[in-house]
């Protein structure tokens, strides 16, 4: 049982560090609230294929690592109770 705790803790630390780095590397999306007010169009070619770009892949990795971070946090809290 102690070995599982240590393995989960090491994975948790690695996921945390990678998540921090990915978050800091990403560029800021400048659309924000102003696109809601002005009604910017998302039907152009770039926005439809955004997932295939470097930024799109980094965003997908960030979301995946965020979910992994949350699951590991819950698992570690259960093991350490």
């Amino acid at each position: 049982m102690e070995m599982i705790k240590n393995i989960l803790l090491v994975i948790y630390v690695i996921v945390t560090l990678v998540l921090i780095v990915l978050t800091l590397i990403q560029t800021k999306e400048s659309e924000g609230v102003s696109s809601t007010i002005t009604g910017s169009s998302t039907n152009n070619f770039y926005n439809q294929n955004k997932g295939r770009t470097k930024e799109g892949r980094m965003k997908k990795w960030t979301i995946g690592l965020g979910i992994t971070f949350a699951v590991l946090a819950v698992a570690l809290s259960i093991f350490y109770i």
Side-chain angles (χ1 to χ4, degrees):
M1 191 63 123
E2 192 68 31
M3 188 173 162
I4 294 173
K5 286 182 188 180
N6 291 335
I7 291 171
L8 282 178
L9 192 60
V10 168
I11 293 171
Y12 184 74
V13 169
I14 292 170
V15 167
T16 304
L17 293 175
V18 173
L19 188 61
I20 290 170
V21 170
L22 273 178
T23 305
L24 291 174
I25 289 174
Q26 289 183 10
T27 59
K28 181 183 172 198
E29 293 181 10
S30 62
E31 293 175 3
V33 178
S34 64
S35 66
T36 306
I37 296 170
T38 59
S40 68
S41 175
T42 59
N43 290 330
N44 61 16
F45 181 76
Y46 177 71
N47 283 335
Q48 290 177 351
N49 294 312
K50 200 171 190 178
R52 297 180 182 172
T53 63
K54 181 181 172 185
E55 292 86 14
R57 286 191 304 262
M58 283 190 348
K59 187 174 183 180
K60 287 179 184 178
W61 272 98
T62 305
I63 292 170
L65 285 173
I67 293 169
T68 306
F69 174 81
V71 169
L72 284 172
V74 170
L76 284 171
S77 69
I78 290 172
F79 277 119
Y80 279 100
I81 288 180

